[in-house]
Structure formats: C-alpha cells, structure tokens
C-alpha cells in the first residue's frame, strides 16, 4: 500500500513536471512565433520613386523612358527601349550599374521592358506625383512583381 502511494505520488509529480515543461515550451514557441510575426509585420512596405536612378538610366542611349521603384534593397526598373533595341544581359547590367551608383545599398536590380509592367509603374508614379491616394498599391505591386519577376524573392 505504501509503495502504491509513493508510486502514485511519483507518477503525479512526473506528470505535473512534464505538463508544466510542455506548457513552458509551448509558451516559448508561441513567443518565438510572435516575434517572427512582429518582425514580418515590421517589413518595410514603403516604395520609393528613384528619380536620380532614372536620370542615370536615361543617359544610356538605348533607353527611351524609364521609371524606378525601390523597396527594401531591391530596385524595379520599368524601361521603354528605343525602337529596334532589345533588352540584353549587357544592357541589364548597365542599367543595374546606374541604379546602384545612386544607392549602393541596393542588392538586386530587376529590369523589365514588358509594356504592361511599364504602364502600371508609370501610372503609379504619375498618381504619386499628383498626390492621388495609392492605398492598396503595395499589395498590387507585390503581385505584379511575382508575375513579372518570378525569381525575385
């Protein structure tokens, strides 16, 4: 009988300790998840128009018109090339060099000559300059980037 009481008490202690440890681990896990969510929430959703980068890009003879948007450490260039000019790796590198010359913190430069992308970016830049509200633009911009630059993460 004494052995049963001691065994029961021991078993109850183990269950209590494991239960508390499990709860503590759950709380730690939840805290880690919350910190991750907070860090993700603090992601910079600002998109800046990079006028100086555009000025630099326009110095390239092949470029007819361009707009550059910067978010985090990525630059997205929407370019319209002169008639008969095609976007080559060399031209992309030249464009990237012009953008990075303005802001060395930029790690990635994505260039597109897609007319739809150019039109969307051009409209956004015009709306911002005219003081129009651009609420919800970041989500739309993110979706467009995923479609136009699928390897950009």
């Amino acid at each position: 009988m004494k052995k049963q009481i001691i065994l029961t008490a021991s078993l109850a202690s183990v269950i209590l300790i494991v239960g508390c440890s499990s709860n503590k681990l759950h709380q730690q896990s939840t805290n880690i998840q919350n910190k991750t969510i907070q860090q993700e929430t603090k992601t910079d959703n600002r998109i800046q128009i990079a006028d100086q980068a555009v000025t630099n890009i326009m110095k390239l003879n092949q470029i007819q018109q361009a707009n550059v948007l910067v978010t985090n450490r990525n630059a997205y260039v929407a370019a319209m090339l002169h008639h008969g000019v095609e976007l080559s790796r060399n031209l992309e590198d030249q464009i990237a060099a012009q953008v990075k010359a303005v802001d060395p913190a930029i790690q990635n430069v994505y260039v597109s000559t897609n007319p739809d992308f150019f039109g969307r970016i051009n409209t956004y830049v015009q709306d911002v300059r005219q003081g129009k509200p651009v609420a919800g633009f970041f989500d739309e911009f993110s979706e467009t980037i995923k479609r136009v630059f699928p390897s950009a993460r």
Side-chain angles (χ1 to χ4, degrees), residues 51-129:
D51 287 323
Q52 186 57 51
V54 170
T55 300
N56 284 7
I57 291 169
M58 293 303 295
K59 292 176 184 176
L60 300 172
N61 293 332
Q62 302 92 325
I63 307 296
Q64 181 176 341
Q65 192 177 354
N67 279 306
V68 180
L69 298 180
V70 176
T71 179
N72 297 325
R73 294 185 181 148
N74 299 312
Y76 300 94
V77 179
M80 183 184 300
L81 305 178
H82 284 290
H83 184 71
V85 175
E86 291 189 23
L87 184 64
S88 65
R89 182 68 188 164
N90 183 39
L91 183 54
E92 282 187 59
D93 290 344
Q94 289 177 38
I95 292 169
Q98 295 299 326
V99 173
K100 289 180 178 182
V102 173
D103 186 354
I106 292 175
Q107 294 178 345
N108 302 299
V109 178
Y110 300 97
V111 181
S112 175
T113 57
N114 176 298
D116 291 333
F117 182 70
F118 181 83
R120 283 179 181 264
I121 300 307
N122 196 38
T123 299
Y124 172 72
V125 170
Q126 288 175 1
D127 287 350
V128 168
R129 290 199 171 123

XYZ file of all heavy atoms in Angstrom, residues 51-129:
622
model
N 14.112 58.906 -58.592
C 14.286 59.845 -59.703
C 15.738 59.945 -60.168
O 16.002 60.037 -61.377
C 13.776 61.227 -59.321
C 12.255 61.282 -59.262
O 11.604 60.621 -60.096
O 11.724 61.994 -58.391
N 16.681 59.942 -59.219
C 18.092 60.065 -59.607
C 18.537 58.840 -60.399
O 19.299 58.955 -61.358
C 18.988 60.260 -58.380
C 20.437 60.532 -58.738
C 20.620 61.758 -59.641
O 20.108 62.836 -59.351
N 21.338 61.591 -60.751
N 18.036 57.667 -60.031
C 18.358 56.457 -60.795
C 17.800 56.570 -62.209
O 18.463 56.180 -63.178
C 17.803 55.220 -60.095
N 16.609 57.128 -62.336
C 16.016 57.326 -63.668
C 16.894 58.266 -64.491
O 17.172 58.005 -65.669
C 14.566 57.876 -63.562
C 14.047 58.297 -64.929
C 13.650 56.850 -62.929
N 17.340 59.342 -63.879
C 18.220 60.294 -64.572
C 19.472 59.585 -65.088
O 19.887 59.796 -66.230
C 18.609 61.459 -63.629
O 17.408 62.127 -63.212
C 19.532 62.453 -64.312
N 20.057 58.736 -64.249
C 21.250 57.989 -64.664
C 20.944 57.024 -65.806
O 21.712 56.927 -66.765
C 21.840 57.217 -63.488
C 22.606 58.106 -62.534
O 22.608 59.332 -62.645
N 23.255 57.487 -61.570
N 19.839 56.310 -65.694
C 19.470 55.332 -66.727
C 19.216 56.024 -68.062
O 19.568 55.504 -69.124
C 18.224 54.519 -66.287
C 18.593 53.604 -65.126
C 17.660 53.712 -67.447
C 17.392 52.954 -64.453
N 18.626 57.205 -68.007
C 18.303 57.927 -69.243
C 19.561 58.366 -69.997
O 19.488 58.732 -71.165
C 17.404 59.136 -68.933
C 16.015 58.756 -68.440
S 15.110 57.689 -69.572
C 14.913 58.789 -70.963
N 20.711 58.309 -69.352
C 21.975 58.625 -70.029
C 22.370 57.518 -71.003
O 23.204 57.736 -71.875
C 23.081 58.834 -68.999
C 22.889 60.078 -68.149
C 23.954 60.194 -67.091
C 23.691 61.394 -66.188
N 24.663 61.471 -65.080
N 21.773 56.341 -70.846
C 22.060 55.236 -71.760
C 21.300 55.468 -73.064
O 20.095 55.736 -73.045
C 21.655 53.897 -71.128
C 22.358 53.536 -69.812
C 21.728 52.297 -69.200
C 23.849 53.323 -70.042
N 21.977 55.375 -74.172
C 21.381 55.680 -75.484
C 20.199 54.785 -75.841
O 19.338 55.192 -76.611
C 22.445 55.578 -76.583
C 23.492 56.654 -76.453
O 23.218 57.734 -75.934
N 24.699 56.365 -76.904
N 20.154 53.572 -75.324
C 19.124 52.615 -75.713
C 17.774 52.878 -75.038
O 16.754 52.331 -75.435
C 19.561 51.180 -75.355
C 20.861 50.752 -75.998
C 22.078 51.043 -75.106
O 22.127 52.026 -74.384
N 23.075 50.168 -75.187
N 17.773 53.704 -74.009
C 16.575 53.906 -73.186
C 15.779 55.110 -73.670
O 16.291 56.222 -73.784
C 16.955 54.123 -71.694
C 17.864 53.001 -71.191
C 15.700 54.257 -70.841
C 17.251 51.631 -71.180
N 14.498 54.889 -73.947
C 13.610 55.981 -74.348
C 12.957 56.605 -73.122
O 12.829 57.822 -73.024
C 12.534 55.440 -75.296
C 11.584 56.504 -75.795
C 10.594 55.939 -76.801
O 10.804 54.867 -77.387
N 9.500 56.645 -77.003
N 12.527 55.752 -72.189
C 11.861 56.222 -70.973
C 12.025 55.156 -69.902
O 12.113 53.963 -70.212
C 10.376 56.473 -71.251
C 9.658 57.221 -70.168
C 8.203 57.507 -70.548
O 7.761 57.250 -71.659
N 7.448 58.031 -69.596
N 12.038 55.567 -68.635
C 12.180 54.593 -67.545
C 11.596 55.147 -66.261
O 11.468 56.365 -66.086
C 13.651 54.237 -67.336
N 11.226 54.241 -65.389
C 10.837 54.553 -64.021
C 11.478 53.509 -63.131
O 11.619 52.345 -63.525
C 9.315 54.523 -63.842
C 8.679 55.800 -64.325
O 9.044 56.877 -63.905
N 7.737 55.674 -65.250
N 11.848 53.928 -61.926
C 12.489 53.015 -60.983
C 11.781 53.129 -59.644
O 11.617 54.227 -59.108
C 13.991 53.337 -60.794
C 14.627 52.365 -59.797
C 14.717 53.307 -62.136
N 11.362 51.988 -59.133
C 10.781 51.921 -57.795
C 11.716 51.085 -56.928
O 12.230 50.052 -57.369
C 9.399 51.277 -57.828
C 8.344 52.014 -58.646
C 7.020 51.268 -58.607
C 8.160 53.438 -58.137
N 11.905 51.542 -55.695
C 12.795 50.850 -54.768
C 12.012 50.477 -53.525
O 11.272 51.291 -52.971
C 13.999 51.742 -54.382
C 14.874 51.064 -53.340
C 14.807 52.105 -55.618
N 12.176 49.222 -53.121
C 11.592 48.751 -51.875
C 12.600 47.820 -51.222
O 13.202 46.983 -51.900
C 10.229 48.054 -52.093
O 9.743 47.602 -50.832
C 10.309 46.914 -53.052
N 12.802 47.996 -49.936
C 13.835 47.252 -49.208
C 15.155 47.464 -49.933
O 15.542 48.588 -50.155
C 13.465 45.774 -49.073
C 12.196 45.577 -48.261
O 11.936 46.316 -47.325
N 11.407 44.603 -48.630
N 15.809 46.430 -50.349
C 17.093 46.570 -51.055
C 16.980 46.151 -52.510
O 17.954 45.741 -53.129
C 18.153 45.732 -50.348
C 18.451 46.258 -48.964
C 19.564 45.506 -48.341
N 19.801 46.044 -47.007
C 20.212 45.335 -46.004
N 20.446 44.057 -46.150
N 20.409 45.888 -44.834
N 15.781 46.248 -53.043
C 15.522 45.865 -54.427
C 15.054 47.068 -55.228
O 14.268 47.873 -54.745
C 14.448 44.773 -54.498
C 14.877 43.524 -53.784
O 15.980 43.027 -53.966
N 13.995 42.989 -52.943
N 15.530 47.135 -56.458
C 15.077 48.176 -57.384
C 14.390 47.489 -58.551
O 14.880 46.473 -59.066
C 16.254 49.005 -57.872
N 13.263 48.041 -58.956
C 12.489 47.508 -60.082
C 12.441 48.580 -61.155
O 11.911 49.667 -60.935
C 11.090 47.106 -59.620
C 11.147 46.050 -58.536
C 11.123 46.417 -57.188
C 11.276 44.713 -58.868
C 11.213 45.450 -56.199
C 11.365 43.743 -57.876
C 11.332 44.120 -56.544
O 11.442 43.160 -55.567
N 13.017 48.254 -62.287
C 13.116 49.205 -63.388
C 12.127 48.813 -64.477
O 12.149 47.686 -64.971
C 14.548 49.222 -63.977
C 14.632 50.206 -65.142
C 15.578 49.552 -62.897
N 11.265 49.761 -64.816
C 10.356 49.590 -65.943
C 10.905 50.491 -67.039
O 10.959 51.707 -66.882
C 8.947 50.008 -65.557
N 11.352 49.872 -68.117
C 12.013 50.650 -69.169
C 11.319 50.481 -70.513
O 10.801 49.412 -70.825
C 13.474 50.221 -69.295
N 11.336 51.565 -71.278
C 10.889 51.518 -72.662
C 12.141 51.801 -73.486
O 12.804 52.832 -73.294
C 9.820 52.575 -72.932
C 9.276 52.512 -74.351
S 8.093 53.850 -74.720
C 6.832 53.553 -73.498
N 12.464 50.865 -74.361
C 13.666 50.998 -75.171
C 13.348 51.686 -76.495
O 12.203 51.668 -76.959
C 14.267 49.611 -75.430
C 14.574 48.778 -74.186
C 15.108 47.410 -74.586
C 15.546 49.489 -73.258
N 14.369 52.287 -77.082
C 14.187 52.876 -78.406
C 13.846 51.772 -79.399
O 14.215 50.607 -79.216
C 15.457 53.612 -78.847
C 15.638 54.924 -78.160
N 14.839 56.016 -78.404
C 16.529 55.319 -77.219
C 15.223 57.021 -77.660
N 16.258 56.624 -76.917
N 13.144 52.148 -80.461
C 12.713 51.199 -81.486
C 13.907 50.398 -82.020
O 14.949 50.965 -82.352
C 12.022 51.949 -82.633
C 11.464 51.033 -83.670
N 10.364 50.249 -83.425
C 11.878 50.763 -84.936
C 10.104 49.532 -84.509
N 11.014 49.829 -85.445
N 13.736 49.101 -82.078
C 14.767 48.225 -82.605
C 15.776 47.728 -81.580
O 16.590 46.864 -81.871
N 15.742 48.272 -80.362
C 16.681 47.857 -79.315
C 16.026 46.749 -78.494
O 14.845 46.835 -78.155
C 17.059 49.045 -78.392
C 17.938 48.593 -77.250
C 17.715 50.155 -79.195
N 16.798 45.711 -78.199
C 16.296 44.622 -77.362
C 17.047 44.608 -76.041
O 18.222 44.999 -75.982
C 16.454 43.279 -78.080
C 15.526 43.142 -79.270
C 15.532 41.739 -79.841
O 15.881 40.793 -79.117
O 15.177 41.604 -81.020
N 16.372 44.144 -75.019
C 16.988 44.058 -73.696
C 17.947 42.872 -73.668
O 17.533 41.725 -73.781
C 15.910 43.901 -72.613
C 16.421 43.906 -71.176
C 17.057 45.252 -70.838
C 15.275 43.611 -70.217
N 19.214 43.169 -73.527
C 20.241 42.134 -73.450
C 20.782 42.078 -72.015
O 20.517 42.980 -71.208
C 21.384 42.452 -74.410
O 22.038 43.655 -74.000
N 21.523 41.058 -71.740
C 22.138 40.933 -70.402
C 23.087 42.112 -70.176
O 23.151 42.662 -69.083
C 22.874 39.590 -70.302
C 23.499 39.344 -68.969
C 22.406 39.160 -67.938
N 23.017 39.109 -66.619
C 22.351 39.261 -65.505
N 21.059 39.433 -65.522
N 22.968 39.221 -64.364
N 23.801 42.505 -71.215
C 24.729 43.631 -71.119
C 23.980 44.926 -70.767
O 24.410 45.686 -69.895
C 25.506 43.794 -72.433
C 26.521 44.908 -72.359
O 27.184 45.095 -71.345
N 26.641 45.664 -73.438
N 22.853 45.168 -71.428
C 22.070 46.370 -71.139
C 21.495 46.306 -69.721
O 21.494 47.314 -69.007
C 20.952 46.556 -72.176
C 20.097 47.813 -72.023
C 20.952 49.082 -71.982
C 19.068 47.884 -73.157
N 21.035 45.149 -69.318
C 20.549 44.997 -67.941
C 21.650 45.337 -66.939
O 21.392 46.018 -65.937
C 20.076 43.561 -67.685
C 18.715 43.258 -68.242
C 18.233 41.878 -67.816
O 18.133 41.624 -66.593
O 17.955 41.055 -68.700
N 22.861 44.861 -67.200
C 23.991 45.147 -66.309
C 24.300 46.642 -66.270
O 24.613 47.195 -65.214
C 25.232 44.361 -66.747
C 25.094 42.859 -66.500
O 24.196 42.451 -65.720
O 25.886 42.096 -67.092
N 24.205 47.298 -67.421
C 24.436 48.750 -67.471
C 23.376 49.498 -66.657
O 23.692 50.442 -65.919
C 24.415 49.241 -68.917
C 25.607 48.807 -69.740
C 25.476 49.279 -71.184
O 25.007 50.383 -71.454
N 25.894 48.439 -72.127
N 22.130 49.070 -66.803
C 21.037 49.691 -66.049
C 21.255 49.470 -64.551
O 21.141 50.405 -63.753
C 19.670 49.138 -66.509
C 19.370 49.605 -67.939
C 18.559 49.552 -65.542
C 18.176 48.916 -68.587
N 21.587 48.246 -64.171
C 21.830 47.932 -62.752
C 22.967 48.783 -62.198
O 22.884 49.287 -61.066
C 22.128 46.447 -62.593
N 24.013 48.970 -62.982
C 25.146 49.787 -62.531
C 24.712 51.234 -62.288
O 25.141 51.863 -61.306
C 26.273 49.730 -63.561
N 23.846 51.756 -63.153
C 23.357 53.131 -62.988
C 22.514 53.271 -61.716
O 22.598 54.264 -61.010
C 22.550 53.568 -64.214
C 23.348 53.666 -65.497
C 24.476 54.675 -65.405
O 24.381 55.703 -64.743
N 25.583 54.371 -66.065
N 21.697 52.262 -61.435
C 20.852 52.293 -60.235
C 21.709 52.178 -58.972
O 21.544 52.939 -58.016
C 19.794 51.162 -60.285
C 19.027 51.075 -58.971
C 18.832 51.386 -61.449
N 22.638 51.244 -58.976
C 23.495 51.033 -57.794
C 24.445 52.196 -57.561
O 24.883 52.424 -56.432
C 24.256 49.722 -57.933
C 23.352 48.508 -57.781
C 24.124 47.213 -57.925
C 23.214 46.019 -57.733
N 23.956 44.741 -57.824
N 24.753 52.951 -58.604
C 25.605 54.132 -58.437
C 24.904 55.175 -57.575
O 25.546 55.923 -56.836
C 25.964 54.725 -59.797
N 23.598 55.212 -57.653
C 22.810 56.158 -56.859
C 22.662 55.663 -55.420
O 22.728 56.438 -54.479
C 21.410 56.363 -57.489
C 20.526 57.204 -56.587
C 21.539 56.990 -58.853
N 22.455 54.349 -55.258
C 22.222 53.777 -53.932
C 22.945 52.433 -53.815
O 22.404 51.398 -54.206
C 20.716 53.589 -53.707
C 20.383 53.130 -52.297
O 21.317 52.840 -51.512
O 19.189 53.066 -51.969
N 24.159 52.444 -53.280
C 24.935 51.207 -53.162
C 24.297 50.158 -52.244
O 24.684 48.992 -52.280
C 26.273 51.671 -52.574
C 26.326 53.141 -52.790
C 24.907 53.613 -52.847
N 23.313 50.549 -51.448
C 22.640 49.591 -50.560
C 21.723 48.648 -51.336
O 21.317 47.607 -50.829
C 21.843 50.328 -49.484
N 21.398 49.008 -52.560
C 20.531 48.158 -53.377
C 21.302 46.903 -53.763
O 22.399 46.971 -54.313
C 20.028 48.904 -54.628
C 19.079 50.021 -54.200
C 19.341 47.943 -55.598
C 18.604 50.909 -55.318
N 20.705 45.768 -53.444
C 21.359 44.493 -53.721
C 20.917 43.885 -55.046
O 21.704 43.240 -55.726
C 21.073 43.498 -52.596
C 21.698 43.899 -51.291
C 21.376 42.931 -50.177
O 20.474 42.112 -50.285
N 22.098 43.037 -49.078
N 19.659 44.073 -55.397
C 19.120 43.455 -56.605
C 18.432 44.507 -57.464
O 17.677 45.332 -56.950
C 18.089 42.375 -56.253
C 18.680 41.308 -55.363
O 19.625 40.628 -55.729
N 18.125 41.167 -54.169
N 18.693 44.432 -58.767
C 18.020 45.310 -59.714
C 17.320 44.412 -60.725
O 17.951 43.575 -61.365
C 19.013 46.252 -60.439
C 18.281 47.117 -61.456
C 19.761 47.117 -59.430
N 16.011 44.583 -60.824
C 15.204 43.803 -61.758
C 14.724 44.738 -62.853
O 14.149 45.793 -62.569
C 14.015 43.168 -61.031
C 14.454 42.232 -59.923
C 14.505 42.670 -58.600
C 14.822 40.925 -60.208
C 14.918 41.812 -57.585
C 15.234 40.065 -59.209
C 15.279 40.518 -57.891
O 15.697 39.663 -56.901
N 14.968 44.345 -64.094
C 14.640 45.191 -65.233
C 13.601 44.494 -66.099
O 13.723 43.307 -66.400
C 15.902 45.486 -66.087
C 15.552 46.385 -67.268
C 17.003 46.109 -65.237
N 12.578 45.261 -66.483
C 11.566 44.721 -67.384
C 11.243 45.754 -68.455
O 11.146 46.951 -68.175
C 10.291 44.374 -66.628
O 9.280 43.963 -67.534
N 11.059 45.241 -69.664
C 10.590 46.092 -70.763
C 9.173 45.684 -71.154
O 8.675 46.100 -72.196
C 11.539 45.987 -71.974
O 11.627 44.618 -72.373
C 12.910 46.534 -71.656
N 8.540 44.900 -70.306
C 7.162 44.462 -70.532
C 6.262 45.703 -70.568
O 6.231 46.475 -69.598
C 6.754 43.503 -69.418
C 5.317 43.062 -69.510
O 4.405 43.876 -69.424
N 5.119 41.766 -69.659
N 5.515 45.913 -71.654
C 4.679 47.113 -71.774
C 3.625 47.238 -70.662
O 3.348 48.352 -70.200
C 4.001 46.960 -73.136
C 4.834 45.986 -73.887
C 5.466 45.091 -72.869
N 3.038 46.126 -70.229
C 2.042 46.188 -69.152
C 2.688 46.637 -67.841
O 2.142 47.467 -67.117
C 1.361 44.830 -68.964
C 0.468 44.472 -70.137
O -0.032 45.389 -70.819
O 0.264 43.262 -70.366
N 3.845 46.068 -67.540
C 4.572 46.450 -66.325
C 4.954 47.929 -66.401
O 4.763 48.675 -65.447
C 5.814 45.568 -66.155
C 6.602 45.865 -64.910
C 6.097 45.552 -63.662
C 7.863 46.443 -64.997
C 6.826 45.816 -62.497
C 8.602 46.708 -63.845
C 8.077 46.400 -62.603
N 5.472 48.336 -67.548
C 5.844 49.735 -67.729
C 4.642 50.642 -67.500
O 4.729 51.648 -66.803
C 6.432 49.967 -69.132
C 6.851 51.387 -69.349
C 8.083 51.835 -68.903
C 6.003 52.287 -69.974
C 8.467 53.158 -69.077
C 6.372 53.607 -70.157
C 7.610 54.043 -69.716
N 3.504 50.273 -68.069
C 2.290 51.075 -67.914
C 1.838 51.177 -66.468
O 1.473 52.257 -65.994
N 1.870 50.060 -65.752
C 1.454 50.065 -64.337
C 2.355 50.960 -63.497
O 1.889 51.750 -62.681
C 1.469 48.658 -63.749
C 0.309 47.812 -64.162
C 0.445 46.423 -63.528
N -0.651 45.582 -63.921
C -1.734 45.403 -63.187
N -1.868 45.994 -62.037
N -2.695 44.612 -63.622
N 3.656 50.794 -63.690
C 4.612 51.583 -62.907
C 4.499 53.063 -63.270
O 4.506 53.929 -62.401
C 6.061 51.059 -63.121
C 6.176 49.598 -62.682
C 7.069 51.952 -62.411
C 5.693 49.296 -61.281
N 4.355 53.358 -64.539
C 4.208 54.741 -64.988
C 2.963 55.381 -64.364
O 3.010 56.518 -63.892
C 4.154 54.793 -66.520
C 4.381 56.181 -67.059
O 5.187 56.926 -66.538
N 3.655 56.526 -68.117
N 1.862 54.654 -64.359
C 0.623 55.157 -63.752
C 0.817 55.413 -62.258
O 0.386 56.446 -61.731
C -0.535 54.164 -63.971
O -0.738 54.022 -65.380
C -1.817 54.627 -63.311
N 1.460 54.484 -61.576
C 1.704 54.663 -60.138
C 2.535 55.917 -59.882
O 2.190 56.727 -59.024
C 2.414 53.437 -59.559
C 2.858 53.655 -58.139
C 1.930 53.705 -57.098
C 4.191 53.864 -57.827
C 2.328 53.944 -55.792
C 4.596 54.103 -56.527
C 3.665 54.143 -55.514
O 4.066 54.384 -54.223
N 3.618 56.085 -60.639
C 4.488 57.240 -60.451
C 3.707 58.531 -60.692
O 3.807 59.487 -59.915
C 5.732 57.140 -61.373
C 6.522 58.443 -61.385
C 6.620 55.984 -60.927
N 2.903 58.578 -61.734
C 2.100 59.766 -62.023
C 1.101 60.041 -60.902
O 0.915 61.195 -60.492
C 1.372 59.606 -63.357
C 2.270 59.691 -64.556
C 1.514 59.412 -65.863
O 0.320 59.168 -65.876
N 2.246 59.439 -66.970
N 0.440 58.984 -60.414
C -0.535 59.158 -59.328
C 0.122 59.727 -58.074
O -0.421 60.626 -57.425
C -1.219 57.829 -58.993
C -2.214 57.402 -60.064
O -2.520 58.208 -60.969
O -2.688 56.249 -59.982
N 1.288 59.219 -57.738
C 2.001 59.708 -56.555
C 2.375 61.172 -56.739
O 2.170 62.000 -55.844
C 3.263 58.853 -56.273
C 4.158 59.526 -55.247
C 2.865 57.465 -55.817
N 2.871 61.502 -57.885
C 3.290 62.889 -58.143
C 2.105 63.855 -58.145
O 2.266 65.031 -57.830
C 4.059 62.967 -59.455
C 5.420 62.301 -59.316
C 6.382 62.720 -60.384
N 7.697 62.198 -60.043
C 8.410 61.418 -60.822
N 7.966 61.094 -62.019
N 9.593 60.998 -60.446
